[in-house]
Amino acid sequence: MAADMSVVGLVEEFVGGQQDGVAKDLATGVINGKCTALEVVEALGTCLTNSEPRTRGRGVQLLSQVLLLSYSSLKQKEVEVLAIFYIDRLKDHHLITPYVLQGLKALSMSSVLPDGLAVAVLKALFQEVHVQSLLQSDRHSVYSIIANFMDSRDQELKGLAADFTFGFIQAMDGEKDPRNLLMAFQISRDLINNYELGTFVEELFEVTSCYFPIDFTPPPNDPHGISQEELVLSLRSVLTATPRFAEFLLPLLIEKLDSDVQSAKVDSLQTLTACCKDYRKKELKEFLPAFWHSIRREVFQTASEKIESEGLAALQALLTCLSKSVIDSDAEDDLDTFLNNVLQDCKHHLCEPDMKLVWPSAKLLQAAASASYRACYKITSCIFPLLLEQFNKHKQSSQRWTILGILKVFIKLTHKWDRDEEDENPLYAFKDQLCILVFSALTDSSVQLQTEGTSTLAVLGSQQGLLSPSDIELSVDHLNRLILREDDPQVCAAALEASTTISAIHPSAFIGKMVPALTQELNTEPMDVKDGELSGNTLHQRSIQALAAISTHPSIVRRTVPVLLQHLTDLQKGSTGAESEVAVLSCRSLQRVAEHCQDAGESSQYFHQMVVPCLLGLAVQAAVQASAVGCDSETSLGILCEEQVIAALGSVISTAYSHRHTELASRTISQVVALYLDGDISFLPENNLSRKFQPFQPPDSPWPQTQLIALLQAAVCSLPKNVVVPQQERLLGHLMELCCTSNHRFTYTSAAKCLAGLINKYPAGEQLDSILQDVLKKIDSGLQRNAGDCSQSASRTRIFTLLLWLTKSLVLRYHAQAATLTDKLMELLTDPDLGTEAAGGFSLLVSDSTDVLNKATHADIRIMYRQRFFTENVPKLVQGFHSAGKDHKSNYLKALSHVLNSLPKQVLMTELPSLLTLLLEALSCTDQVVQLCTLGCLHPLLLDAPQIMSMHIDTLVSKLLSLTTSPAMKVRIASLQCLHALIKLPSHVLLPHKARVIQALAKPLDDRKRLVRREAVSARGEWFLLGSPGR
């Protein structure tokens, strides 16, 4: 506060209307001890006693504003005097009341309020103020005062007993504003839980239940952010807060369930479900028949999936509540009576598997059985004999499929309950009949029934005790047959899934029967196929998939993995030409096994110590043998020298090293690094090589050896961040050299990925900065263009690949050098040799990589890095587009479209106005990648920003129609989808173009591609209906 300004002077300025910022200065003075609140009151003396209400109001307003800013600095005596003053002011003119409420709100937050004053304030408030005649903000002040006192003075308020409840009911009665309702509902909930309601239980229920169900739609751009869901949940917490509301609430819920309003039904069912958590039998008993009638009606009629699901949840909650009540009393009749009603109304529909009520009835029974173990036991004991009888009675596959599907769900339900030792599984009495039924389904000619039978077998096998040892062996025989002999891939897939489930619980049966059968099949040479038989290659592929599927237990893993590895070895020796595809499949199966081993310490150790060395040994041996034969020889070098197989091997190694078993990874990664740096092959099972393995000595090292850098990358770049890569600086130097000198594309790309992966996790500091400076120097010198050097193109492409992956590595971790590298990449957009590749490189920067620099490999990826990249670089791309020559504009558009296509829709919407012109221009670009990316950006914008897009309707229609005849199928489909989305624009904008669009869309109707024709039919149909009534 200024030294030459007195309290009196500031007060006079405020009251005279000359200065509204005085309250802040006075509050600062109170907080700093330069004046007191009572001195402010004294300075306001004549103002507070003035005969003019507006003048008195101005004085009280100033005092209240000061208190709101300084209430925590007030002394107890000051609070007492001020509280008595404000209580008296409540009797003053109504113009002053809002300011009095602000002052009382400030005092209600004070921690030094004397005892007894909270009660005095509330009594005066309830007696002197008619709350619902106040403005919204003033009513909010009243609720704030009450809520503050309930938090800090609850013992005093409880002394008011039911008078407090009555006063609040009067204050709240008739409230309409959602902001105030949220606070009123919160107070009501606290009142019910912690205060005496007395004789006002029904009154409190009436004053709150009148809002049920909530029908509120927030206005557009609502600054308060209050949603309908928030109000619904707040009111529900009040209505369900006490069982004393039951006699009033439950009839209301039944009434709303019988209405025609869908939202009211959903809200009523959800509220009933919430009630059942605290209610007991005595509250519900009278209303159970009515609730069952309403729930049954809603599920049988199936007006909407939402109502059906909430009805089933409410039924389950009711029965759960009754089940708990049985524990508390001797009267078990109510649970039985209710379940008997459910069985009586639903059971007979199960005898009609062709009728529409069979599934609704099954769902009701399943919901009832989900309530408790006793409910489950009663329901299953009653319906299982019926379902088993119906299965044998009906011979049609479709009918049996329905019955089996119902049985499967009930079998799952029995697994849900943790039974006491004396409680038996209700299925034990039917397990023999169930096995016969399931096995008969597995041998049925219907694919649909076989698939359902297989999934039911999986459910049976997942529970201990339902399958005897002989049943398990028979099950494995059936699964063997379905995997190896059944034509339909859907049945085979179901059998593989069932094998995965059952093998985890019964591994010995699969070791004894399935593993030998699959091994024998893999060792059998593919032969000529007879009619109705599967080809040898298909059988091999299925066997490989099955070996991975059953590798769920350590004992199985030790038998399946050697078979897969041996098969991979045999494929290397093959010469049919089809080995590559099978080898990739074998690697994928090994990768799946590695995923199974992630949480199994024994299996994970086996994988690190046995499988990874074996895979590396196979690859190294193949590479060394290929080097001996000669890379230019016409002799086949074997599948393990093919890029796709090496990439597949890398995925297995990457999965193994991405596990969080850091001790295992630390022990074995040093051996892998020594293999590449020093040629140490001592840990490999096949270590009698004809020549030394030297992948880091170009040009002496041939490409079959150098390309195995992909396997090194898979290992070292997948490690958790807390595992240190040994000899990392030496490794980075060799990788850098390989990036700059190798002429083999797969090699230098893998080296660049490996370098980028290591730098991404490298600890920040001077050492990293030094490494990056060395790399940047080589990039700068390598990208320099000499027009006379014909061999320079390949060299610049290598350096560009390194630049691209290094940029991605640094962008992900928000490194300071990321901007420098990104600028270098932008400069290349105008390069005559690398411009197109640089534009495409922006896609790599903002998209997820599958083998490195992703979350699975523990890369350092900062949150919202794409949005940051967009913010920093899109303005530069736009500026570069405008300044670029005609030949290079398409490169900027391509880069821009890649960046935009990676953004979340919400971010893109905010940038739309400034970028829309460029997006439309990009549609005219001849590059199909640019066209496709741009259409991908425009489609969501057409759906969510119709007003902005309407301003460019002429350009949009022309360009989209021209793209419907593009040579690229994906472009044609995307343009038709955008034309379909145009319908979201206002009709008056589209109608002038209707005839033209309908005529132009006639041509895609005859497109040679079915997917294009389908989109054309959909889009043209919508344009035909444009302007019709009801559209």
Side-chain angles (χ1 to χ4, degrees):
M1 194 179 344
D4 59 342
M5 296 287 287
S6 66
V7 174
V8 175
L10 289 171
V11 167
E12 289 177 353
E13 283 188 14
F14 183 87
V15 175
Q18 302 171 13
Q19 180 61 264
D20 284 339
V22 167
K24 186 175 181 181
D25 294 334
L26 287 171
T28 303
V30 172
I31 294 170
N32 295 335
K34 295 182 179 179
C35 66
T36 66
L38 293 182
E39 288 177 357
V40 177
V41 175
E42 187 178 351
L44 285 167
T46 56
C47 175
L48 296 176
T49 58
N50 194 288
S51 60
E52 176 59 42
R54 296 188 182 277
T55 303
R56 295 201 303 277
R58 189 76 172 160
V60 176
Q61 180 186 6
L62 174 60
L63 179 59
S64 296
Q65 288 179 1
V66 171
L67 295 180
L68 283 169
L69 295 171
S70 62
Y71 64 87
S72 60
S73 301
L74 299 178
K75 296 180 175 59
Q76 188 175 52
K77 186 62 178 177
E78 291 178 310
V79 174
E80 182 179 2
V81 172
L82 290 167
I84 294 171
F85 166 75
Y86 275 115
I87 290 172
D88 185 60
R89 289 300 92 195
L90 285 174
K91 302 173 184 177
D92 205 336
H93 196 278
H94 66 87
L95 289 175
I96 303 173
T97 302
Y99 309 124
V100 176
L101 293 174
Q102 290 176 14
L104 288 173
K105 178 181 176 181
L107 295 178
S108 71
M109 294 185 284
S110 173
S111 60
V112 295
L113 184 76
D115 294 341
L117 281 181
V119 171
V121 168
L122 288 181
K123 281 184 176 180
L125 202 60
F126 293 149
Q127 184 176 348
E128 303 295 342
V129 180
H130 183 247
V131 177
Q132 291 307 313
S133 65
L134 302 175
L135 296 176
Q136 180 273 326
S137 58
D138 301 327
R139 300 199 304 276
H140 195 275
S141 295
V142 173
Y143 298 132
S144 298
I145 294 167
I146 297 173
N148 291 337
F149 282 147
M150 290 177 76
D151 287 340
S152 60
R153 307 283 168 170
D154 59 319
Q155 292 302 321
E156 291 183 40
L157 267 57
K158 287 177 182 178
L160 285 171
D163 290 342
F164 178 46
T165 302
F166 179 70
F168 171 71
I169 290 172
Q170 283 188 313
M172 179 189 173
D173 192 10
E175 182 59 65
K176 293 182 175 62
D177 190 89
R179 292 164 288 180
N180 291 344
L181 282 174
L182 279 177
M183 182 165 280
F185 290 155
Q186 179 186 345
I187 294 171
S188 300
R189 185 170 61 251
D190 292 342
L191 195 63
I192 293 167
N193 292 332
N194 303 309
Y195 291 82
E196 176 59 46
L197 301 184
T199 59
F200 300 111
V201 174
E202 184 173 1
E203 284 76 7
L204 182 58
F205 174 79
E206 292 296 336
V207 82
T208 52
S209 65
C210 64
Y211 300 101
F212 182 85
I214 294 288
D215 182 16
F216 168 70
T217 303
N221 304 317
D222 179 20
H224 308 291
I226 297 175
S227 65
Q228 180 183 14
E229 183 71 10
E230 195 175 2
L231 284 168
V232 166
L233 293 176
S234 186
L235 175 58
R236 186 177 299 153
S237 68
V238 176
L239 297 179
T240 60
T242 174
R244 297 177 68 185
F245 280 172
E247 60 178 307
F248 315 114
L249 176 60
L250 297 179
L252 175 64
L253 297 181
I254 293 170
E255 176 190 339
K256 298 302 180 184
L257 276 172
D258 293 338
S259 71
D260 295 328
V261 182
Q262 303 293 310
S263 59
K265 292 184 178 184
V266 171
D267 203 351
S268 299
L269 290 167
Q270 291 175 339
T271 304
L272 175 60
T273 302
C275 288
C276 292
K277 295 177 182 178
D278 297 315
Y279 286 11
R280 289 295 179 264
K281 177 198 67 175
K282 64 179 182 179
E283 288 89 22
L284 294 170
K285 183 175 181 179
E286 179 186 350
F287 306 99
L288 288 175
F291 277 125
W292 166 239
H293 175 78
S294 297
I295 291 171
R296 181 190 62 195
R297 181 191 66 235
E298 296 304 330
V299 175
F300 276 177
Q301 292 179 356
T302 326
S304 74
E305 290 184 8
K306 182 67 174 175
I307 294 178
E308 179 187 293
S309 64
E310 295 299 341
L312 295 172
L315 175 61
Q316 181 179 339
L318 281 170
L319 282 162
T320 301
C321 180
L322 291 178
S323 300
K324 292 177 181 177
S325 298
V326 170
I327 298 173
D328 298 335
S329 67
D330 297 328
E332 197 165 344
D333 292 339
D334 293 311
L335 177 62
D336 274 348
T337 301
F338 197 110
L339 289 173
N340 287 335
N341 289 335
V342 174
L343 286 166
Q344 181 181 349
D345 291 341
C346 298
K347 189 176 176 181
H348 63 281
H349 291 300
L350 301 181
C351 301
E352 303 166 340
D354 287 332
M355 304 304 288
K356 68 176 184 178
L357 290 181
V358 63
W359 275 111
S361 298
K363 289 177 182 178
L364 286 167
L365 290 167
Q366 289 157 15
S370 301
S372 66
Y373 168 71
R374 279 163 295 167
C376 182
Y377 192 95
K378 183 176 180 66
I379 294 288
T380 52
S381 300
C382 289
I383 68 163
F384 260 67
L386 175 64
L387 291 170
L388 293 169
E389 178 188 345
Q390 292 300 312
F391 186 89
N392 294 322
K393 177 181 176 182
H394 294 89
K395 302 302 180 184
Q396 290 186 17
S397 297
S398 60
Q399 296 171 328
R400 288 189 159 193
W401 173 81
T402 300
I403 296 169
L404 192 57
I406 297 171
L407 280 168
K408 181 178 71 175
V409 177
F410 278 103
I411 296 170
K412 282 183 180 179
L413 283 177
T414 60
H415 192 49
K416 173 181 176 181
W417 302 110
D418 293 328
R419 294 177 292 276
D420 297 329
E421 290 184 5
E422 63 270 16
D423 293 332
E424 66 173 11
N425 191 324
L427 297 184
Y428 284 168
F430 311 104
K431 60 181 183 179
D432 293 336
Q433 294 170 274
L434 280 171
C435 288
I436 295 172
L437 180 149
V438 170
F439 292 149
S440 68
L442 296 179
T443 57
D444 196 272
S445 59
S446 167
V447 170
Q448 191 181 33
L449 187 56
Q450 277 187 322
T451 304
E452 192 68 34
T454 306
S455 59
T456 306
L457 177 63
V459 177
L460 276 174
S462 65
Q463 299 190 38
Q464 294 284 2
L466 288 184
L467 294 179
S468 66
S470 60
D471 290 332
I472 294 169
E473 291 192 1
L474 184 56
S475 298
V476 176
D477 288 337
H478 277 295
L479 293 172
N480 262 335
R481 175 181 57 80
L482 294 175
I483 292 171
L484 298 177
R485 301 291 174 256
E486 181 57 49
D487 291 340
D488 193 275
Q490 185 181 357
V491 176
C492 177
L496 290 171
E497 187 175 346
S499 299
T500 301
T501 302
I502 302 174
S503 62
I505 301 173
H506 306 287
S508 57
F510 285 82
I511 292 172
K513 281 185 166 289
M514 185 171 281
V515 175
L518 297 174
T519 305
Q520 182 181 354
E521 193 62 54
L522 279 178
N523 293 334
T524 304
E525 289 291 330
M527 301 176 66
D528 294 335
V529 182
K530 298 179 182 178
D531 292 338
E533 291 185 356
L534 295 171
S535 69
N537 285 333
T538 301
L539 288 174
H540 281 193
Q541 291 174 8
R542 288 192 177 186
S543 299
I544 292 167
Q545 290 174 321
L547 286 168
I550 65 175
S551 299
T552 55
H553 193 276
S555 60
I556 304 179
V557 170
R558 290 180 177 273
R559 287 164 175 80
T560 55
V561 168
V563 175
L564 289 170
L565 292 174
Q566 183 59 48
H567 187 61
L568 206 55
T569 305
D570 296 340
L571 289 172
Q572 169 70 3
K573 303 172 185 175
S575 58
T576 63
E579 289 86 1
S580 297
E581 183 181 347
V582 181
V584 170
L585 183 62
S586 299
C587 291
R588 288 176 183 166
S589 294
L590 284 168
Q591 183 183 7
R592 185 177 176 185
V593 177
E595 291 170 353
H596 288 166
C597 296
Q598 284 186 353
D599 300 321
E602 182 182 344
S603 296
S604 184
Q605 184 175 2
Y606 173 75
F607 221 87
H608 272 276
Q609 293 178 349
M610 301 297 295
V611 180
V612 172
C614 185
L615 292 176
L616 286 171
L618 288 173
V620 169
Q621 189 174 45
V624 170
Q625 288 176 354
S627 304
V629 170
C631 302
D632 299 327
S633 172
E634 295 182 3
T635 306
S636 173
L637 300 180
I639 58 164
L640 293 179
C641 290
E642 296 182 13
E643 292 179 7
Q644 60 173 340
V645 178
I646 292 174
L649 287 172
S651 67
V652 183
I653 296 172
S654 175
T655 304
Y657 275 101
S658 64
H659 297 178
R660 296 194 179 272
H661 299 290
T662 54
E663 291 184 13
L664 281 173
S666 299
R667 285 202 302 267
T668 58
I669 195 63
S670 57
Q671 297 173 323
V672 175
V673 173
L675 168 68
Y676 279 83
L677 290 178
D678 306 317
D680 182 0
I681 60 173
S682 58
F683 78 105
L684 299 181
E686 299 288 340
N687 52 21
N688 53 342
L689 303 179
S690 58
R691 59 171 64 188
K692 198 169 183 181
F693 178 62
Q694 297 174 319
F696 280 131
Q697 292 188 7
D700 299 332
S701 298
W703 63 260
Q705 291 191 29
T706 60
Q707 68 176 356
L708 294 189
I709 296 301
L711 302 185
L712 173 66
Q713 169 238 307
V716 297
C717 294
S718 301
L719 292 168
K721 295 176 187 176
N722 57 344
V723 177
V724 178
V725 178
Q727 306 184 67
Q728 189 164 190
E729 287 71 27
R730 183 182 169 199
L731 192 59
L732 287 170
H734 282 299
L735 288 168
M736 185 68 211
E737 187 67 22
L738 203 58
C739 287
C740 299
T741 57
S742 175
N743 291 319
H744 188 242
R745 187 177 186 88
F746 186 63
T747 294
Y748 66 71
T749 302
S750 298
K753 288 181 179 181
C754 191
L755 183 73
L758 290 172
I759 286 180
N760 174 262
K761 299 177 190 176
Y762 204 99
E766 294 182 1
Q767 197 166 3
L768 175 61
D769 294 339
S770 175
I771 292 170
L772 287 175
Q773 287 300 323
D774 293 341
V775 176
L776 284 171
K777 287 178 183 177
K778 291 200 174 186
I779 288 175
D780 287 335
S781 61
L783 287 177
Q784 289 179 0
R785 187 168 179 267
N786 297 323
D789 191 350
C790 300
S791 63
Q792 193 189 30
S793 176
S795 174
R796 296 184 76 223
T797 301
R798 292 194 296 268
I799 298 298
F800 167 76
T801 304
L802 172 61
L803 169 65
L804 194 58
W805 282 101
L806 187 60
T807 304
K808 181 177 180 68
S809 169
L810 298 182
V811 165
L812 290 178
R813 63 179 286 178
Y814 286 179
H815 193 276
Q817 290 288 356
T820 304
L821 293 174
T822 306
D823 290 342
K824 291 183 182 298
L825 200 58
M826 286 190 193
E827 292 172 7
L828 292 176
L829 291 173
T830 56
D831 189 279
D833 300 324
L834 297 174
T836 304
E837 289 187 60
F842 277 83
S843 174
L844 186 144
L845 295 182
V846 293
S847 60
D848 294 324
S849 176
T850 56
D851 55 348
V852 71
L853 296 176
N854 54 46
K855 290 182 179 179
T857 57
H858 312 289
D860 186 358
I861 302 176
R862 301 300 176 89
I863 189 171
M864 297 176 70
Y865 80 90
R866 290 186 179 90
Q867 287 87 323
R868 177 169 177 164
F869 186 82
F870 169 87
T871 304
E872 293 177 350
N873 296 292
V874 163
K876 299 177 184 177
L877 287 171
V878 173
Q879 183 180 358
F881 169 80
H882 290 302
S883 60
K886 185 177 180 181
D887 294 339
H888 302 131
K889 284 186 179 291
S890 62
N891 291 338
Y892 282 94
L893 287 175
K894 188 174 184 178
L896 182 65
S897 63
H898 283 311
V899 176
L900 294 178
N901 215 31
S902 70
L903 280 180
K905 183 174 64 177
Q906 295 83 352
V907 179
L908 188 58
M909 292 288 293
T910 61
E911 304 295 333
L912 174 63
S914 60
L915 297 174
L916 188 54
T917 305
L918 271 181
L919 287 174
L920 293 175
E921 188 165 347
L923 291 177
S924 301
C925 181
T926 56
D927 192 310
Q928 293 175 356
V929 175
V930 176
Q931 293 172 351
L932 194 59
C933 289
T934 306
L935 290 169
C937 292
L938 288 175
H939 187 265
L941 300 178
L942 289 169
L943 297 174
D944 298 313
Q947 297 302 325
I948 299 175
M949 305 301 284
S950 297
M951 299 166 59
H952 302 271
I953 185 63
D954 295 335
T955 307
L956 271 171
V957 170
S958 298
K959 292 184 181 292
L960 290 175
L961 287 178
S962 66
L963 291 176
T964 59
T965 58
S966 168
M969 181 189 73
K970 290 183 178 180
V971 174
R972 298 200 300 276
I973 291 174
S975 61
L976 289 167
Q977 289 172 339
C978 287
L979 283 166
H980 191 171
L982 276 177
I983 293 296
K984 296 294 182 180
L985 272 59
S987 297
H988 69 276
V989 175
L990 298 175
L991 284 172
H993 304 277
K994 178 177 179 179
R996 176 189 172 195
V997 172
I998 291 174
Q999 182 179 0
L1001 289 181
K1003 186 174 181 181
L1005 294 176
D1006 294 327
D1007 197 279
R1008 64 184 183 278
K1009 295 292 185 180
R1010 178 182 60 84
L1011 295 176
V1012 177
R1013 296 196 300 271
R1014 185 177 69 183
E1015 293 294 341
V1017 168
S1018 179
R1020 197 165 188 254
E1022 288 295 328
W1023 277 88
F1024 259 119
L1025 294 173
L1026 181 66
S1028 302
R1031 298 293 292 180

